[in-house]
């Protein structure tokens, strides 16, 4: 079979066209590869940035955790200091009130025995009284003094609770009339009036000395 010149030229044209299409596809493929490479590079950059951000977040979490630990330690230490200060201030107030209350209890109320910081235990129960004073014989009374730096209504209930349980802890004073005295450096008029209504004596500081602060016609409640 003989190939004519026209057929040869047709084959050559087809080869040329095929080559053009092949080159075009190669260029398109190359462009796509380039774009893919650019995208991969961008993704790589984003991944590195994300890793750096995660690293910074981890560092920040670590620093925050350390700071929280330090803060917790400071809060605990501050709590201990505040608690110690409260104990010291309470002891200071009791020490300040004791000389004045000793004079009041001995001269005004005729008490024979005056004891600060009385603590008594009955089995698992315990009670502490800031000042306990009593007399035997003709007077036959006992006074329970609660000393506060700043008296609130809770102090009234606390003192009444002590008075309610007094004979349980002190059966030797079973036949005595028992009275309560609320003593404070600072006491609002409302708290004072509430204490008086409950039948409690009130003593407050005046010119660095504790003095009774009850009306002349006051009728105390005995327990």
């Amino acid at each position: 079979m003989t190939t004519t010149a026209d057929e040869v030229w047709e084959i050559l044209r087809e080869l040329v066209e095929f080559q053009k299409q092949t080159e075009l596809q190669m260029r398109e493929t190359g462009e796509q590869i380039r774009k893919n490479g650019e995208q991969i590079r961008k993704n790589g950059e984003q991944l590195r940035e994300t890793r750096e951000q995660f690293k910074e977040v981890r560092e920040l979490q670590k620093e925050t955790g350390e700071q929280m630990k330090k803060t917790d330690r400071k809060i605990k230490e501050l709590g201990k200091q505040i608690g110690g200060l409260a104990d010291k201030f309470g002891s200071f107030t009791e020490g300040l009130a004791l000389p004045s209350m000793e004079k009041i209890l001995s001269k005004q109320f005729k008490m024979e025995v005056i004891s600060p910081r009385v603590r008594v235990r009955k089995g698992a129960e315990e009670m502490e009284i800031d000042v306990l004073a009593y007399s035997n014989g003709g007077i036959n009374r006992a006074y329970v003094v609660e000393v506060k730096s700043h008296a609130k209504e809770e102090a009234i209930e606390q003192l009444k609770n002590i008075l309610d349980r007094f004979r349980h802890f002190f059966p030797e004073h079973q036949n005595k009339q028992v009275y309560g005295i609320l003593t404070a450096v600072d006491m609002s008029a409302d708290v004072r009036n509430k204490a008086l209504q409950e039948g409690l004596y009130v003593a407050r500081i005046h010119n660095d000395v504790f003095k009774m602060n009850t009306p002349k016609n006051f009728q105390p409640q005995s327990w």
Side-chain angles (χ1 to χ4, degrees):
M1 180 178 180
T2 304
T3 303
T4 63
D6 291 336
E7 290 176 339
V8 171
W9 282 110
E10 182 64 26
I11 292 172
L12 289 174
R13 283 195 294 271
E14 290 178 357
L15 288 173
V16 171
E17 184 65 27
F18 178 76
Q19 185 176 5
K20 288 180 180 179
Q21 292 179 359
T22 301
E23 290 177 353
L24 179 61
Q25 290 177 351
M26 289 180 67
R27 284 196 297 271
E28 291 176 351
T29 302
E31 182 66 21
Q32 188 63 44
I33 291 173
R34 186 188 65 77
K35 290 180 180 180
N36 290 342
E38 184 67 21
Q39 187 62 44
I40 291 172
R41 186 186 65 77
K42 290 180 179 180
N43 290 342
E45 290 292 332
Q46 291 177 352
L47 182 59
R48 282 193 292 273
E49 291 177 1
T50 302
R51 287 175 178 172
E52 289 297 325
Q53 290 174 354
F54 279 141
K55 183 178 179 181
E56 292 176 1
V57 170
R58 286 195 296 269
E59 290 294 327
L60 181 60
Q61 288 176 337
K62 184 178 179 181
E63 292 177 3
T64 302
E66 291 296 327
Q67 189 62 39
M68 289 179 66
K69 289 180 181 179
K70 292 180 181 179
T71 301
D72 287 342
R73 287 195 294 268
K74 289 181 180 179
I75 290 174
K76 290 179 181 178
E77 183 62 27
L78 182 60
K80 291 179 181 179
Q81 293 176 0
I82 291 174
L85 182 61
D87 291 339
K88 291 179 180 178
F89 189 61
S91 300
F92 171 77
T93 304
E94 291 170 13
L96 183 65
L98 183 59
S100 302
M101 293 310 302
E102 283 182 336
K103 292 180 180 179
I104 292 170
L105 291 166
S106 62
K107 293 183 179 181
Q108 183 173 337
F109 295 103
K110 310 301 180 184
M111 293 294 100
E112 299 170 344
V113 180
I114 302 172
S115 302
R117 286 275 183 153
V118 177
R119 180 175 295 176
V120 59
R121 183 186 296 273
K122 287 282 186 177
E125 298 179 279
E126 183 177 296
M127 184 168 71
E128 184 174 334
I129 297 176
D130 292 336
V131 181
L132 173 61
Y134 62 88
S135 285
N136 300 312
I139 296 177
N140 203 36
R141 292 181 179 179
Y143 288 86
V144 174
V145 182
E146 181 71 17
V147 182
K148 297 291 185 184
S149 57
H150 177 68
K152 300 180 181 179
E153 286 196 18
E154 289 85 350
I156 298 173
E157 297 304 319
Q158 182 180 351
L159 179 52
K160 287 174 61 180
N161 181 263
I162 293 173
L163 293 167
D164 288 337
R165 298 184 299 152
F166 181 81
R167 287 184 175 81
H168 170 70
F169 285 94
F170 297 94
E172 63 272 24
H173 299 306
Q174 192 72 30
N175 297 323
K176 285 184 173 64
Q177 291 179 309
V178 185
Y179 299 91
I181 304 175
L182 180 60
T183 304
V185 174
D186 179 44
M187 182 188 305
S188 68
D190 290 340
V191 173
R192 174 182 178 272
N193 293 335
K194 174 70 173 177
L196 294 174
Q197 289 172 6
E198 296 290 340
L200 301 172
Y201 287 97
V202 173
R204 298 171 67 180
I205 196 167
H206 180 70
N207 293 332
D208 297 330
V209 177
F210 282 89
K211 295 183 178 181
M212 297 303 294
N213 190 226
T214 51
K216 292 182 179 180
N217 59 348
F218 173 67
Q219 295 297 322
Q221 171 69 40
S222 63
W223 270 258

